[in-house]
Amino acid sequence: MQTAEFLFAIVSLPEESLEHQSLRAYQALLKTLQDRKCPHLLRIWNFVPRINAFDGGIERYQLFNTGRRNAFRESGYTLSDGAPAACALGTQSGGLRIAVLAGTRPAVAIENPRQVSSYHYPKQYGTDAPIFSRAAWLAQPSGDDLLFISGTASIVGHQTLHAGDTLAQVKESVRNIEAVLHSANQRAGAPLWNLAELTGRVYIRHAADYQLVSEYLLAQGMTRFCFLQADICRADLLVEVEAEGQATPGSRD
């Protein structure tokens, strides 16, 4: 689906070597974006079968990251261009599925001062680090400014905190979102976004945690979120929150 300024595309591949799947999928997506003259990645959703399992002694999420990075290298994509917002969730069956929102203009990558940028993660998380920013801000000449917040979890620096404690993890996730919002508002030069006005999705590893997580988020004023059960990119993460924000024209004046 394409408009004058945006393109939304999905690629789905049958089950095969995940590293090869990832390479092929991103090759196809990046070529499509170039061909359609909508080359700037804004937001990506990656749905990876059995994301926390191991193939040949290597975690499947790490295999996915290697294929993705190789496709970016082939296309000439560089981190200095500003990595898009993204998430990676696990599915129980089927092949790799990737959805992408791209635009005719680039977004501004926003990072979180509480976290190491994903593409600088140390080798303990795999030979090839993930490629995404903590958020992407798209200022529009007319229409709302858009903020895409990546899947955000209980990670400080590069380490998972509060293993096994769902409530502590969702609290840390919200602290990280607040830090991202602060960075985005600083970059924009105005208080454009806040927790209460965000919309988004909450991924919980265990369905039994729904009430605990939803009650906490509602207490923070985060009322415009839906919930899905999914595996998360690290086996020790129990919850992840992704969001979008809009700022009306004139908010930066």
Side-chain angles (χ1 to χ4, degrees):
M1 181 170 61
Q2 187 169 8
T3 67
E5 296 185 14
F6 297 100
L7 181 146
F8 182 77
I10 299 174
V11 62
S12 179
L13 295 178
E15 178 68 31
E16 59 174 275
S17 162
L18 183 56
E19 182 178 336
H20 185 56
Q21 268 189 325
S22 177
L23 174 65
R24 286 180 54 209
Y26 270 93
Q27 284 173 330
L29 280 171
L30 294 172
K31 184 178 187 304
T32 297
L33 302 187
Q34 291 291 339
D35 291 347
R36 296 291 186 93
K37 302 187 186 308
C38 215
H40 299 290
L41 292 164
L42 304 174
R43 183 69 171 87
I44 305 174
W45 296 264
N46 301 288
F47 299 98
V48 181
R50 303 182 308 284
I51 193 169
N52 303 133
F54 286 77
D55 284 351
I58 302 175
E59 187 185 36
R60 286 173 60 81
Y61 181 52
Q62 295 180 15
L63 294 171
F64 164 79
N65 283 331
T66 295
R68 170 171 57 177
R69 187 171 282 268
N70 286 338
F72 279 140
R73 286 190 186 111
E74 286 183 8
S75 72
Y77 183 92
T78 62
L79 294 178
S80 61
D81 295 332
C87 62
L89 289 310
T91 60
Q92 296 303 312
S93 61
L96 178 67
R97 294 190 298 277
I98 301 170
V100 59
L101 178 67
T104 57
R105 294 176 294 106
V108 175
I110 304 293
E111 291 299 325
N112 179 354
R114 303 182 78 231
Q115 296 178 312
V116 174
S117 296
S118 68
Y119 40 84
H120 293 318
Y121 278 174
K123 295 296 184 183
Q124 71 190 76
Y125 302 106
T127 303
D128 294 291
I131 301 176
F132 65 91
S133 62
R134 302 300 175 181
W137 164 40
L138 183 65
Q140 301 198 91
S142 60
D144 294 349
D145 281 14
L146 303 176
L147 185 69
F148 304 100
I149 299 177
S150 295
T152 304
S154 180
I155 297 171
V156 175
H158 58 76
Q159 297 178 320
T160 299
L161 297 189
H162 317 299
D165 188 333
T166 303
L167 181 58
Q169 285 201 12
V170 72
K171 288 180 178 180
E172 201 70 64
S173 300
V174 172
R175 282 191 283 270
N176 278 327
I177 291 175
E178 288 176 323
V180 169
L181 291 175
H182 181 72
S183 293
N185 287 331
Q186 278 193 319
R187 189 70 182 265
L192 301 187
W193 301 285
N194 60 66
L195 282 179
E197 294 178 352
L198 297 177
T199 60
R201 291 148 299 283
V202 182
Y203 301 99
I204 51 176
R205 186 177 292 273
H206 305 300
D209 289 334
Y210 165 72
Q211 184 171 351
L212 180 71
V213 174
S214 63
E215 286 180 354
Y216 178 77
L217 293 180
L218 287 172
Q220 309 313 303
M222 300 171 69
T223 62
R224 302 163 64 187
F225 285 76
C226 65
F227 290 76
L228 300 95
Q229 183 179 8
D231 291 333
I232 302 167
C233 63
R234 294 186 186 181
D236 53 7
L237 290 174
L238 302 173
V239 60
E240 179 173 295
V241 183
E242 66 177 32
E244 296 84 39
Q246 293 179 270
T248 57
S251 299
R252 284 183 282 127
D253 297 342

